Amino acid sequence: MQIFSKVLRDTDVRVRFSFPTHCLQHLDFAGNNSVDLYVKDGCGELRVIRCLKRNGVYDKPVLSMGWLKFVADYGLRVGDKVVLHREDDQNLGSQFMIEAKRRIMLLGEEAWGDVTRAN
């Protein structure tokens, strides 16, 4: 099940990745302001990416620790897209899958292609 997709902005690739508040319903913070997400990437590697809820009236979540490594590993840039899916994988121990996409031209049509690891 897709939780969200987002086209990356400058802050997303340089600092932290913010995503829609309605996605909080899919995360279990257990009374804390942060939770470590066990995420399977497009290469099947298990990653741990920390999700924080901002303090204050507006709880907009952000991905912090582990996020910039994902950006670097996939060579992500402004205009690329990230898609997060809920996927319980008992063998790997992950709850989520993250995909990186890039705009491509295919037979004169714009499409989103998978981004593979840069290193």
Side-chain angles (χ1 to χ4, degrees):
M1 168 181 73
Q2 180 176 314
I3 296 175
F4 69 81
S5 69
K6 180 182 177 186
V7 175
L8 300 178
R9 298 179 185 185
D10 187 58
T11 300
D12 297 323
V13 297
R14 289 188 314 105
V15 183
R16 67 186 166 277
F17 178 84
S18 63
F19 58 96
T21 305
H22 71 82
C23 300
L24 288 171
Q25 67 185 339
H26 299 283
L27 307 175
D28 182 11
F29 285 88
N32 298 312
N33 279 353
S34 70
V35 62
D36 287 342
L37 304 179
Y38 293 89
V39 179
K40 183 169 60 173
D41 69 14
C43 295
E45 181 180 328
L46 182 63
R47 294 173 176 272
V48 179
I49 301 176
R50 179 157 295 153
C51 179
L52 301 169
K53 285 191 297 186
R54 295 180 187 175
N55 291 327
V57 178
Y58 191 54
D59 285 338
K60 188 166 186 142
V62 296
L63 299 181
S64 59
M65 186 188 79
W67 167 250
L68 292 179
K69 177 155 178 31
F70 177 75
V71 169
D73 287 350
Y74 279 81
L76 297 181
R77 55 190 187 224
V78 173
D80 289 345
K81 180 166 56 170
V82 168
V83 183
L84 186 71
H85 300 273
R86 176 84 191 204
E87 179 191 73
D88 293 321
D89 183 333
Q90 302 302 321
N91 295 327
L92 204 57
S94 65
Q95 295 178 317
F96 302 96
M97 180 177 163
I98 192 166
E99 295 179 297
K101 306 278 188 181
R102 183 162 289 147
R103 276 193 187 105
I104 58 172
M105 292 301 287
L106 186 62
L107 303 171
E109 301 277 326
E110 189 176 278
W112 289 98
D114 292 334
V115 177
T116 57
R117 282 186 70 142
N119 50 5

